[in-house]
Amino acid sequence: RAVFAAALSWDFDKVLGIEILEGLHELCDQKLLPRFDLHIREKMESETRREVDVNFIRGDATVIDEWISSRVVFANSTCFDRKLMETLARMASNMDPGCYFIT
């Protein structure tokens, strides 16, 4: 998952995953995140990375706007239709200047 890659690779304060599919949310939140906390977090090279807040929300990114305040947003958009991409683009236009929205 991109959430774990971000937590491992950069000094973010918070890394948030939004997943609309129940099965994928459950996998990340209830299986992968506890394993990350137990086996990987303590081995991360910087204190900032070890203290990163990693969290997953089950929901629709077009309804949940918590991500708009982020510095970097990644949307795995391989299955997104034009309407969804336009909605996300419109929402992303509210992000601060200098932030990144990656699809």
Side-chain angles (χ1 to χ4, degrees):
R1 296 264 332 171
V3 169
F4 295 110
L8 289 166
S9 302
W10 292 278
D11 290 337
F12 292 122
D13 295 328
K14 181 177 182 177
V15 181
L16 173 67
I18 301 172
E19 182 56 65
I20 198 167
L21 299 175
E22 182 178 2
L24 289 178
H25 174 263
E26 185 176 307
L27 173 69
C28 294
D29 192 56
Q30 297 178 14
K31 293 185 179 182
L32 297 178
L33 183 56
R35 289 179 185 171
F36 174 84
D37 288 337
L38 182 65
H39 299 291
I40 297 177
R41 187 179 292 276
E42 67 184 33
K43 297 174 184 168
M44 294 167 75
E45 59 186 63
S46 75
E47 183 176 346
T48 303
R49 290 183 191 171
R50 286 190 299 275
E51 294 178 359
V52 64
D53 177 18
V54 179
N55 193 17
F56 293 92
I57 296 173
R58 180 168 179 247
D60 183 340
T62 64
V63 176
I64 299 168
D65 64 357
E66 186 174 341
W67 58 268
I68 292 172
S69 63
S70 301
R71 292 185 353 214
V72 178
V73 174
F74 169 75
N76 192 358
S77 61
T78 56
C79 295
F80 293 1
D81 63 16
R82 182 178 187 92
K83 182 179 176 185
L84 179 55
M85 290 299 287
E86 289 171 353
T87 300
L88 291 173
R90 196 169 35 258
M91 292 177 74
S93 70
N94 294 312
M95 295 173 68
D96 288 338
C99 293
Y100 297 92
F101 189 93
I102 304 162
T103 61

